[in-house]
Amino acid sequence: MVFSSPVFLFLFLPIVLLLVALVRDRGAQNTVLLLASLLFYAWGEGAFVLLMLGTALFNHVCGILLDRTGSRKAVLALAVTVDLGTLIWFKYAMFIVEAVTPVFTWLGRPAPHIDPVHLPIGVSFFIFHSLSYVVDIYRRTAPAQRVPGITALYIALFPQLVAGPIIRYHDVADQFVDRVMNMEGFAWGVRRFIVGLAKKILIADLCARIADPVFALPSADLTPAVAWLGAVAYAVQIYFDFSGYSDMAIGLGRMFGFHFLENFRRPYVASSLRDFWKRWHISLTNFFRDYLYIPLGGNRRGPARTYANLLIVFFLTGLWHGASWNFVVWGMIHGAFMLAERTGWGRVLDKLPRILGRVYTMFVVLLAWVFFRAPDLGAAWAYLDGMFTIGHGNAALVYPAYYLTHDVALALVVGLFGGLGGYDVLVRWWRRSEPQARGMRLAGISQDLGLLLLFVFCAMAVATRTFDPFIYFRF
């Protein structure tokens, strides 16, 4: 069950909203939300809901022990070891076996073998929430929960369960017992949810009709024009897919009285890689900063240690996205340019016109996305070769217009316009062209009518299209 499915939109969500509205007691509301969240996860993962529940209860006990025992470091070490061990087993066991097999072969020893391990949806997210829970209690930035159901609800809350954003425990700890549900917040949440739904259904899914077939082309057939078109389409697809999910999660949270922090701030208008990572997947950036980069020493122990810490963070950022060397290379590309920007290149960027910084950033981001999207390193290098080799492929058979049907081309143009900051320009123009009071009134009416129309379009698309999962479900 996904946010953009008919079952969620027209059955699950209305029923949960109604049940939560019917019970006034905060504890009862939390119980309804927990049961709904467990059903939401079990709908797609079946018995693996027990893994998530077991993780929540284990960390709940560890949290209580952190409050009561003198061996706090030992309890924290146990919790972190079990949480990371769970993540490594389900997500990286096969990757590790494949990585060490050549070593065993070289030594003349039998290579290790394990049966394929199922990757539960959203395991990276609920394990990171578990880590945030115990670390925040250890640091005394948030209290340990005494009610197991609240700990489970923090880890399992369905708006952010399977694809984030990553909600640090100390940011929301108080909201489980003290939050306000009202019509103003509910209306804001509905608007934000519709925006996210439109991003996913009307832009990301249509841009996938370019990116998917282009990246599936044999490398010998790929022409530079089509290769660049595919890379741009994927950049638009992944941004609107993931930021759309984050918008829906933030909107859903607000409907139930929760305030989640923003996860995206128009990353494609960034003028450097440093700026990009302040705007892209902000919750992941904050998590690695708070729970890895700073504990490693951050930038407090000299340049060499700072550079090493950055490379560790971006190596793990890449690996977090998937058990593949492609993701590692993607992360290290960003890490390498982050290092460069901390040296003389960063000072040069600061002096350049902002537009040149944006062009540089988008160029690097686009090239890195190739490794993120391609199935393996060989395919990624072949794709890059197609992007930069003049005369590559057969332009008579593989050309951009083949992929640009009217609806797809419109989605790509709208996505580029919005992703590159065009919406902000329109808002500034509107505010200058209309008197403030009248402009705000007209803007409010226009916005609500526009959102209603967007929801109708989305509902029509949902009813007629096949299932299109969110990209970040597999992470």
Side-chain angles (χ1 to χ4, degrees):
M1 181 161 41
V2 297
F3 295 166
S4 56
S5 68
V7 173
F8 181 86
L9 290 172
F10 304 114
L11 183 62
F12 179 85
L13 181 58
I15 290 175
V16 175
L17 285 168
L18 178 61
L19 291 176
V20 171
L22 289 176
V23 293
R24 298 293 184 180
D25 178 70
R26 186 67 67 223
Q29 290 179 343
N30 288 341
T31 300
V32 170
L33 285 174
L34 176 59
L35 294 175
S37 297
L38 296 178
L39 173 62
F40 178 85
Y41 192 76
W43 189 282
E45 283 296 346
F48 281 95
V49 71
L50 299 176
L51 170 68
M52 184 180 63
L53 262 181
T55 300
L57 294 177
F58 168 77
N59 285 279
H60 175 78
V61 172
C62 289
I64 292 176
L65 291 176
L66 284 168
D67 258 4
R68 295 180 178 178
T69 183
S71 305
R72 302 180 74 246
K73 289 185 177 179
V75 173
L76 178 67
L78 173 66
V80 170
T81 300
V82 171
D83 288 337
L84 290 181
T86 302
L87 181 62
I88 290 169
W89 170 253
F90 283 100
K91 192 166 183 176
Y92 302 106
M94 296 298 297
F95 177 70
I96 293 171
V97 169
E98 291 174 3
V100 302
T101 292
V103 177
F104 279 82
T105 302
W106 179 72
L107 293 173
R109 299 289 184 88
H113 171 77
I114 59 172
D115 293 329
V117 179
H118 174 73
L119 177 63
I121 293 174
V123 65
S124 298
F125 291 96
F126 70 72
I127 290 295
F128 269 30
H129 282 106
S130 300
L131 290 169
S132 175
Y133 179 77
V134 292
V135 172
D136 285 355
I137 293 171
Y138 174 80
R139 292 176 175 176
R140 302 192 191 281
T141 56
Q145 287 292 343
R146 294 294 183 263
V147 180
I150 292 181
T151 306
L153 180 59
Y154 161 65
I155 291 172
L157 188 60
F158 75 86
Q160 47 75 45
L161 173 57
V162 294
I166 300 167
I167 309 298
R168 294 170 298 184
Y169 176 61
H170 65 263
D171 287 328
V172 295
D174 294 338
Q175 297 181 37
F176 292 101
V177 294
D178 183 20
R179 62 181 184 273
V180 176
M181 292 180 61
N182 54 37
M183 286 304 299
E184 181 181 0
F186 179 82
W188 187 95
V190 170
R191 294 188 190 101
R192 187 65 179 269
F193 181 87
I194 293 174
V195 168
L197 183 66
K199 282 183 174 182
K200 163 65 176 172
I201 298 295
L202 303 181
I203 297 180
D205 287 354
L206 287 174
C207 287
R209 297 184 186 180
I210 302 173
D212 290 349
V214 169
F215 274 89
L217 282 171
S219 58
D221 295 341
L222 198 62
T223 63
V226 168
W228 279 100
L229 174 65
V232 170
Y234 184 69
V236 174
Q237 178 197 358
I238 192 170
Y239 169 55
F240 279 87
D241 188 281
F242 192 23
S243 70
Y245 186 97
S246 295
D247 287 339
M248 285 186 268
I250 292 169
L252 286 169
R254 186 65 65 87
M255 293 182 205
F256 296 107
F258 292 95
H259 291 251
F260 299 156
L261 298 179
E262 293 295 333
N263 206 26
F264 289 89
R265 291 193 180 95
R266 291 179 173 78
Y268 291 158
V269 304
S271 55
S272 66
L273 268 297
R274 292 169 295 173
D275 190 22
F276 178 83
W277 280 100
K278 293 177 182 177
R279 299 168 176 271
W280 176 272
H281 204 345
I282 300 169
S283 63
L284 181 66
T285 302
N286 290 343
F287 185 94
F288 275 115
R289 181 197 65 203
D290 292 349
Y291 303 120
L292 181 62
Y293 180 70
I294 292 176
L296 286 173
N299 57 3
R300 304 186 305 275
R301 299 183 181 179
R305 184 63 177 270
T306 299
Y307 300 157
N309 291 342
L310 278 172
L311 287 178
I312 291 170
V313 166
F314 277 96
F315 173 84
L316 293 176
T317 297
L319 198 60
W320 177 85
H321 283 86
S324 166
W325 290 113
N326 278 50
F327 294 118
V328 172
V329 171
W330 171 80
M332 296 306 287
I333 289 172
H334 282 270
F337 278 93
M338 287 284 283
L339 259 62
E341 291 179 12
R342 280 186 168 270
T343 59
W345 176 233
R347 292 190 291 274
V348 172
L349 276 178
D350 292 338
K351 295 177 181 178
L352 290 175
R354 189 172 181 82
I355 185 64
L356 294 181
R358 289 184 177 183
V359 171
Y360 145 77
T361 303
M362 277 307 304
F363 181 75
V364 174
V365 169
L366 276 176
L367 296 188
W369 279 142
V370 171
F371 288 93
F372 199 93
R373 176 59 181 79
D376 53 57
L377 288 177
W381 288 117
Y383 195 96
L384 290 174
D385 183 50
M387 291 174 72
F388 290 100
T389 302
I390 304 299
H392 194 281
N394 189 337
L397 296 177
V398 180
Y399 50 92
Y402 176 80
Y403 302 93
L404 294 172
T405 58
H406 294 301
D407 55 343
V408 170
L410 178 60
L412 182 62
V413 169
V414 172
L416 286 170
F417 179 79
L420 295 174
Y423 176 77
D424 294 336
V425 174
L426 282 180
V427 170
R428 288 195 296 269
W429 172 82
W430 178 275
R431 289 174 177 172
R432 286 197 304 266
S433 62
E434 292 285 346
Q436 186 173 8
R438 179 168 174 260
M440 291 179 64
R441 186 169 59 253
L442 288 175
I445 296 172
S446 300
Q447 181 188 65
D448 289 341
L449 289 175
L451 289 173
L452 178 60
L453 190 60
L454 279 179
F455 184 75
V456 171
F457 286 154
C458 289
M460 293 169 60
V462 165
T464 57
R465 290 186 196 167
T466 57
F467 172 67
D468 289 304
F470 289 87
I471 292 175
Y472 265 67
F473 272 24
R474 59 194 176 108
F475 304 140

